[in-house]
Amino acid sequence: MSIVITLAPEEEAQLQKLAEESGETIEETAMRLIRLALSRQMLPPDNSDLPEKWRGIVGAFHSGDGSLSQDTGRKFAEGMEQKRREGHL
């Protein structure tokens, strides 16, 4: 099946940039993005006010200074070693 999609110049430029970065043709990139969107079962257009519904909820939690995701392998290994020493493994 073939369809024609008319893009604004800015959208076409973004799509072309993505295609070049991924080493695909613009058509392949468009198809990949469409498949991705369909696989995620995007919300119907009537939920366009969803960001407003989530205002004050999304991003409302503070998870520290961002260091929790640094050196995770080392921290895990140290934690496992401590559990082993304590006889919990």
Side-chain angles (χ1 to χ4, degrees), residues 12-84:
E12 184 178 359
Q14 285 180 302
L15 190 59
Q16 184 63 48
K17 182 179 178 199
L18 284 172
E20 290 170 3
E21 289 172 354
S22 62
E24 300 173 316
T25 66
I26 196 168
E27 293 84 0
E28 290 168 333
T29 300
M31 198 61 215
R32 181 171 49 83
L33 293 173
I34 290 169
R35 286 183 180 131
L36 178 63
L38 292 173
S39 72
R40 291 185 178 179
Q41 298 179 359
M42 294 179 60
L43 295 173
D46 61 330
N47 283 322
S48 58
D49 65 332
L50 197 56
E52 188 60 40
K53 291 178 184 176
W54 285 92
R55 188 176 309 279
I57 298 172
V58 172
F61 298 97
H62 179 68
S63 62
D65 62 2
S67 65
L68 293 175
S69 62
Q70 295 175 352
D71 299 318
T72 55
R74 180 187 54 77
K75 291 175 185 176
F76 178 77
E78 289 172 356
M80 294 302 287
E81 178 60 25
Q82 181 179 352
K83 285 183 179 280
R84 187 194 61 76

